[in-house]
Amino acid sequence: MNRIVKRFCAAATLLGFGLHSALAGPAVITVQADQPGHKIPPTLWGIFFEDINLSADGGIYPERVRNRNFEDTAKPDHWTLLTNAQAKAEMSIDTEKPVSAKNPRCLKIVVTDPAGSRAGVVNGGFYGIAVEKGESFRLSLKARADGGFSGPLTVSLESSDGSIVAQEKISKLTTDWRNFAATLAAKTTDPKARLVISTTKPGTFWLDMVSLFPKQTWKNHGLRPDLMEKLAGLKPAFNRFPGGCWVEGDRMKEAYRWKQTIGDPSERRTQHNIWQYEATHGVGFHEYLVMCEDLGCEPLFVINCGMSHKENVPLEQMDEFVQDALDAIEYANGPVTSKWGAVRAQAGHPAPFGLKYMEIGNENGGPAYRERWALFHKAIKSRYPEIQLVANHWSGGYPTNPMPEIVDEHYYNNPEFFMAQAGRYDKYDRHGPKIYIGEYAVTSGAGLGNLRGAIGEAAFMTGMERNSDVVIMGSYAPLFCHANHKRWPINLINYDGARVFGIPSYYVQQMFSQNRGDVTLPITVDAPPTEAGPKGGAIGVGTWLTQAEFKDIKVTRGGEPLYSCDFANGTQGWKLLGNGDWQAQDGVLRQNSRSENVRAVAGDRKWTDYTYSLKARKLGGAEGFLILFRTQRDNEKSWWNLGGWGNRRHAIEMGGVIGQEVEGSIETGRWYDIRVELTGSHIKCYLDGKLIHDVTAPLIQSLYASASRDDKTGETILKVVNVAAAAQETEIKLNGVAKLASAQALVLTSESSTDENTLDNPTKVSPKSQKLATPTPSFQHSFPGNSLTVLRFKGRP
């Protein structure tokens, strides 16, 4: 273990339910600036790009036309007809004379009786085509016509009000496919423009591979500039790509196969994405490698290992998949004289990319994964011993035969969970595999991505940095999200066609990455604890894999009624969460689904010091009841879990902490009397009049910190996270420093822990620089509530 105070090791376990004392006075942080510890790997802070939430098509790949090759489905998705009372037209998908045998569909348009009016087709892009005045686009398409029609076709960019933004004409169509190209320069700015292809003459024509691509892209390599600048701002050391569940697919026919993503874009496979859209692979394996090169980061390619969500390739048929891995390495690194190195050179990149890392599968586990891990490991290490292989740490742990060099762990939870896990790696085996935390993020209890979630992640990241002798890589997930196609609750970078913003977590990632040290410095933190969960909140009921019913719900304070419900108005006034099946009848609220984590919440989130009573009856299923109290945020766990963990235990769960577990089960068909009494931080839980739990709310460490040294500048870098609501006065001691020459601070905080950034207010929560008066090596500093502070000191021993 590196030289870190043992207090961090105990943070997740000792500061739990039932702790009644708190540290008095100011906090103290002590850094041994003259006793450098282990080297911090330069790979520690990276990114993970998954094709999710329209992050490629509609995101970094700036193609404006959606379903440009008409391969999405058997219908012309995202294309509509342009007609009016005079002009008539029909459209359909046609495969009789394809441009490409791999992508045989095209769009057939039949125009009849235009009577001088125009008719044709319209594409609105990805929720509108964003254009800016003066911006130029390369228009290209393939077209043919029947013998009686030669055009012209008018191709125009039009504003949402119908006015012309840019326009060109295409003529001389023939019965054979021809390529047409033009430049469209926008005369106005409109985030919701559309592409219109029309004619005023009757006839039949066909379209394929209709593209509208901006001339200006990031480093002229075909990616959207503002989104890529956001990535560049993170200074990532590596990029894990392309997924994620996207690599696996729901079934093997939807698995990611890199050889189908290279070459002429018109020949690439259009593939159904598990995140509910079709992917063109405009960003294919080659483009990912170029992206990494342009970002100055190491590529980490995740390859499918013959496993999907619902089926696996038989072991005797795995040769093809193992060969895919070997060929991917040859494409990235092989000489131009090799088969796949020559294909890379033909794509415009004769120099090798220098791939060093490959991950075998994503979130795969069990015996099937262990068998496949051994196959890939043997084949790759035999031919490319220098490639570092990453194994999945999933169901059943990670494979050990052969032992991986690196294992990939994933964590998603609420802010308090990540705070409690800041000491997770303090006691990890230093002789086992290195750790890559490939996916981690607060995904509940943080709105759409608020300050509190970012602070939870920052606390966890101090533990990653302190333990970077074993944790060598980490990446937040997911990275990107189109505002109109959100398939994951919280995402780092959000955008529409014209705007972009990072949630507060983006700035946490940036602050850690842009303030990397070269070596760790020993640090101790002595600070008062703070409550893990909210001090007050609403009430509710819920189930987990169980059917149940509830009645006689009452909330009182000091014997006076605060709330009661007889369900005379059904579930009015209740917020129903999860995949439940609720019915309210005859004074009883019944939940008929056996889904996980089904809840109904009611009351005032400002309530404190109350008694909550009700009756509950299990109707069937695996467990018992969830009795919610002090509920502040949707999806947070603040409840009494009765008959949880397979109907074996009762426990209180708050702020990511499970406390005072006792053996117990819930019988089917029996009504139970349940009562929860809340007084300040004191919680009492009664079942049928018997006291089951008598605890105080769980406490967690209020300050989390890591320290390092920048060898180039000689600066000491101190990262401090205050997870408490109030500011924390702190004495900072920089031992081994005789005098400080300068000190500066970068602070991320906001007025409220629930503050978020938006497209309209993209930097509401963003870091602010502060130049500090040069202090002595021992000085006082106040860390704001819910804040991340990076302090940099220049001094001499």
Side-chain angles (χ1 to χ4, degrees):
M1 179 186 291
N2 53 1
R3 289 172 287 180
I4 305 296
V5 63
K6 299 299 188 292
R7 184 179 194 84
F8 275 103
C9 301
T13 54
L14 292 184
L15 299 180
F17 286 90
L19 184 64
H20 292 275
S21 62
L23 299 175
V28 179
I29 296 177
T30 304
V31 178
Q32 302 297 335
D34 59 344
Q35 298 179 26
H38 66 261
K39 289 185 177 181
I40 298 174
T43 55
L44 184 56
W45 308 119
I47 57 176
F48 164 47
F49 185 99
E50 177 168 16
D51 194 347
I52 182 175
N53 305 314
L54 288 178
S55 57
D57 295 300
I60 64 166
Y61 188 59
E63 171 63 72
R64 296 300 202 263
V65 178
R66 190 166 188 180
N67 193 15
R68 64 183 178 182
N69 62 358
F70 308 103
E71 296 292 333
D72 278 14
T73 68
K75 297 180 180 180
D77 296 341
H78 311 295
W79 291 84
T80 58
L81 282 170
L82 175 71
T83 59
N84 53 46
Q86 289 77 36
K88 301 293 188 297
E90 296 177 353
M91 68 175 179
S92 61
I93 295 295
D94 187 42
T95 59
E96 288 187 5
K97 191 177 178 180
V99 173
S100 165
K102 292 182 179 179
N103 295 309
R105 293 172 180 154
C106 64
L107 186 65
K108 178 180 180 181
I109 303 100
V110 180
V111 177
T112 57
D113 301 325
S117 297
R118 63 181 187 152
V121 290
V122 179
N123 190 282
F126 296 86
Y127 305 98
I129 295 176
V131 298
E132 187 174 345
K133 184 177 181 180
E135 186 177 13
S136 292
F137 295 89
R138 294 186 179 93
L139 169 74
S140 62
L141 58 86
K142 299 176 187 295
R144 69 181 180 89
D146 64 10
F149 181 80
S150 60
L153 297 178
T154 300
V155 183
S156 55
L157 270 173
E158 299 182 6
S159 288
S160 48
D161 62 5
S163 58
I164 301 300
V165 175
Q167 191 174 84
E168 290 289 341
K169 288 189 179 297
I170 291 174
S171 58
K172 298 182 180 178
L173 277 70
T174 69
T175 55
D176 294 321
W177 286 105
R178 289 187 58 197
N179 294 319
F180 295 91
T183 296
L184 296 180
K187 302 174 184 176
T188 60
T189 296
D190 191 335
K192 297 287 186 180
R194 61 182 191 166
L195 182 70
V196 180
I197 303 174
S198 63
T199 183
T200 57
K201 295 182 178 180
T204 300
F205 61 97
W206 289 260
L207 299 173
D208 203 354
M209 204 59 188
V210 181
S211 174
L212 185 70
F213 213 86
K215 285 190 173 182
Q216 182 181 358
T217 60
W218 197 63
K219 296 191 175 183
N220 295 317
H221 284 157
L223 300 179
R224 179 171 158 177
D226 57 343
L227 300 191
M228 291 305 300
E229 284 298 324
K230 278 291 185 185
L231 290 191
L234 294 174
K235 294 187 180 298
F238 65 88
N239 179 15
R240 175 181 182 241
F241 68 89
C245 294
W246 169 231
V247 169
E248 301 163 272
D250 206 36
R251 295 190 178 276
M252 286 308 303
K253 67 179 182 179
E254 296 163 351
Y256 184 91
R257 308 297 300 275
W258 72 269
K259 291 175 182 176
Q260 298 171 341
T261 76
I262 60 174
D264 186 335
S266 68
E267 295 290 312
R268 297 182 187 185
R269 173 190 180 190
T270 295
Q271 180 177 350
H272 180 69
N273 190 303
I274 195 170
W275 300 109
Q276 301 170 14
Y277 53 90
E278 310 306 311
T280 68
H281 291 301
V283 179
F285 183 57
H286 184 90
E287 287 76 19
Y288 281 119
L289 292 169
V290 172
M291 180 202 307
C292 294
E293 187 173 71
D294 286 346
L295 286 168
C297 68
E298 299 287 351
L300 194 170
F301 178 48
V302 184
I303 194 158
N304 184 280
C305 64
M307 300 179 72
S308 69
H309 286 179
K310 294 180 179 177
E311 60 185 2
N312 300 331
V313 174
L315 206 60
E316 63 271 16
Q317 298 176 22
M318 281 298 301
D319 288 353
E320 174 188 342
F321 290 81
V322 173
Q323 190 63 47
D324 273 357
L326 297 172
D327 292 345
I329 297 170
E330 183 174 286
Y331 185 97
N333 297 350
V336 295
T337 53
S338 66
K339 175 183 176 180
W340 290 103
V343 176
R344 181 195 68 238
Q346 189 177 11
H349 201 286
F353 284 106
L355 178 72
K356 299 176 184 176
Y357 300 93
M358 177 177 283
E359 182 164 0
I360 309 305
N362 170 74
E363 293 182 354
N364 300 131
Y369 180 66
R370 290 193 290 272
E371 291 173 335
R372 285 154 179 78
W373 162 258
L375 286 178
F376 279 88
H377 189 281
K378 181 180 179 180
I380 294 171
K381 286 295 185 177
S382 295
R383 188 175 301 181
Y384 301 107
E386 72 280 6
I387 297 293
Q388 296 191 58
L389 299 179
V390 181
N392 299 167
H393 189 167
W394 201 240
S395 57
Y398 58 83
T400 58
N401 185 23
M403 186 66 73
E405 299 158 284
I406 306 168
V407 296
D408 178 9
E409 300 181 351
H410 296 177
Y411 301 103
Y412 297 104
N413 215 301
N414 59 33
E416 289 73 26
F417 167 87
F418 281 99
M419 297 168 193
Q421 296 299 315
R424 179 180 184 87
Y425 296 99
D426 291 351
K427 293 184 177 180
Y428 252 53
D429 181 7
R430 262 53 186 174
H431 302 290
K434 300 298 184 183
I435 304 300
Y436 167 37
I437 308 176
E439 300 180 29
Y440 68 95
V442 168
T443 53
S444 62
L448 300 178
N450 62 27
L451 174 64
R452 184 64 176 175
I455 296 307
E457 293 155 2
F460 182 63
M461 292 168 70
T462 64
M464 293 169 63
E465 186 167 87
R466 288 186 296 101
N467 291 286
S468 53
D469 57 329
V470 63
V471 180
I472 63 168
M473 307 170 86
S475 50
Y476 182 101
L479 196 59
F480 280 122
C481 179
H482 194 294
N484 294 292
H485 191 93
K486 187 174 186 177
R487 294 300 180 267
W488 194 259
I490 298 176
N491 306 276
L492 198 68
I493 301 169
N494 299 262
Y495 51 89
D496 60 14
R499 301 171 294 174
V500 59
F501 74 91
I503 65 173
S505 297
Y506 172 86
Y507 295 104
V508 168
Q509 295 291 322
Q510 186 181 67
M511 290 169 72
F512 272 79
S513 184
Q514 291 189 0
N515 292 279
R516 303 168 189 252
D518 295 297
V519 294
T520 59
L521 297 176
I523 182 171
T524 60
V525 178
D526 192 9
T530 186
E531 281 198 33
K535 298 182 184 300
I539 56 95
V541 293
T543 60
W544 197 286
L545 301 172
T546 303
Q547 298 160 301
E549 54 187 7
F550 310 89
K551 66 180 181 179
D552 298 344
I553 293 175
K554 297 177 183 178
V555 181
T556 61
R557 180 187 291 143
E560 296 296 322
L562 274 180
Y563 176 83
S564 64
C565 185
D566 60 7
F567 300 105
N569 296 317
T571 58
Q572 183 177 340
W574 287 77
K575 188 171 186 179
L576 308 180
L577 302 167
N579 189 24
D581 178 11
W582 296 95
Q583 292 179 336
Q585 186 176 351
D586 299 328
V588 175
L589 179 63
R590 176 177 295 175
Q591 202 293 106
N592 298 306
S593 168
R594 293 196 183 186
S595 298
E596 293 183 350
N597 198 10
V598 177
R599 289 150 292 123
V601 179
D604 192 333
R605 296 175 192 263
K606 296 179 182 178
W607 283 345
T608 58
D609 298 333
Y610 57 80
T611 297
Y612 171 30
S613 63
L614 72 156
K615 289 181 172 63
R617 178 166 66 177
K618 176 179 175 178
L619 301 176
E623 302 197 349
F625 319 118
L626 302 174
I627 308 303
L628 283 63
F629 59 90
R630 294 175 68 161
T631 299
Q632 285 289 334
R633 302 177 291 249
D634 295 347
N635 299 319
E636 74 176 336
K637 292 183 179 180
S638 183
W639 58 44
W640 184 14
N641 192 340
L642 286 162
W645 299 275
N647 204 17
R648 292 181 290 113
R649 298 197 298 276
H650 307 321
I652 299 173
E653 296 185 70
M654 292 184 66
V657 179
I658 300 172
Q660 290 240 327
E661 297 179 65
V662 299
E663 291 185 3
S665 60
I666 296 297
E667 298 175 19
T668 300
R670 172 186 164 190
W671 282 105
Y672 288 86
D673 286 310
I674 299 169
R675 187 168 84 253
V676 179
E677 296 178 354
L678 307 175
T679 306
S681 60
H682 198 188
I683 304 168
K684 288 184 176 182
C685 298
Y686 297 83
L687 185 64
D688 286 336
K690 180 181 178 181
L691 181 63
I692 305 298
H693 305 289
D694 185 358
V695 300
T696 55
L699 299 174
I700 56 175
Q701 188 85 16
S702 60
L703 290 185
Y704 300 80
S706 61
S708 61
R709 186 182 69 202
D710 185 327
D711 286 340
K712 291 182 180 179
T713 65
E715 290 175 296
T716 296
I717 305 170
L718 177 60
K719 301 180 179 77
V720 180
V721 183
N722 181 10
V723 306
Q728 178 64 62
E729 290 294 329
T730 305
E731 181 181 5
I732 297 175
K733 298 179 180 180
L734 300 177
N735 292 347
V737 177
K739 186 177 181 180
L740 291 177
S742 65
Q744 54 185 345
L746 186 64
V747 184
L748 179 72
T749 191
S750 194
E751 292 183 7
S752 171
S753 64
T754 60
D755 283 350
E756 301 178 359
N757 295 333
T758 64
L759 287 169
D760 294 322
N761 194 353
T763 57
K764 180 176 183 177
V765 185
S766 55
K768 305 294 188 296
S769 297
Q770 298 177 4
K771 189 171 183 179
L772 305 180
T774 305
T776 62
S778 180
F779 63 97
Q780 294 290 127
H781 187 81
S782 179
F783 294 100
N786 285 298
S787 67
L788 164 62
T789 301
V790 178
L791 295 164
R792 297 185 71 111
F793 307 100
K794 275 191 176 180
R796 65 171 187 266

